[in-house]
Amino acid sequence: MVSSHKLHLFFIYMLYRKVGGRMKDYIEKRAVELAQYIVENNATVRKTAKIFNISKSTVHKDVHERLYKINPALYKEAQAVLEQNKAERHIRGGMATKEKYLLEKLK
């Protein structure tokens, strides 16, 4: 099943192609949508990339480089969420490892 985010992005892309819009406009819109998703869902780069069906490097480039020029306020919000996720990353990794070994012990 295709998510509504993917359909939305696809229709925006097709609209720009049909009316001769620049790809740059599409990329700017995508950068804003990615940042909004990250802020609203407290999402990681990996989760955002999976939802929008794009690479992690594309999410990173859109949110870290392009967004600042487009919407500085949203950029700051998204950066705050991503910094928090980065700070908590080692904790999530440790919890996943602990769960893995507990499951192996139960077998």
Side-chain angles (χ1 to χ4, degrees), residues 5 9 16 19-23 33 37-39 44 63 68 72 82 88 96 105 107:
H5 290 291
L9 289 174
Y16 278 107
V19 298
R22 299 182 335 244
M23 182 58 81
E33 289 184 351
Y37 181 81
I38 288 169
V39 170
T44 61
V63 176
Y68 184 76
L82 293 176
E88 296 171 352
K105 205 179 225 184
K107 289 182 180 180

Side-chain angles (χ1 to χ4, degrees), residues 19-33:
V19 298
R22 299 182 335 244
M23 182 58 81
K24 184 178 180 189
D25 296 335
Y26 170 73
I27 292 171
E28 289 175 357
K29 179 128 176 90
R30 180 184 67 203
V32 171
E33 289 184 351

Side-chain angles (χ1 to χ4, degrees), residues 45-77:
V45 169
R46 183 182 298 245
K47 180 180 176 185
T48 304
K50 189 172 184 178
I51 293 293
F52 284 85
N53 198 29
I54 57 178
S55 71
K56 292 184 296 183
S57 59
T58 301
V59 173
H60 189 271
K61 185 168 184 88
D62 282 354
V63 176
H64 286 276
E65 294 177 20
R66 295 182 174 126
L67 187 63
Y68 184 76
K69 297 172 188 169
I70 301 165
N71 188 336
L74 183 58
Y75 168 82
K76 289 178 183 176
E77 288 182 58

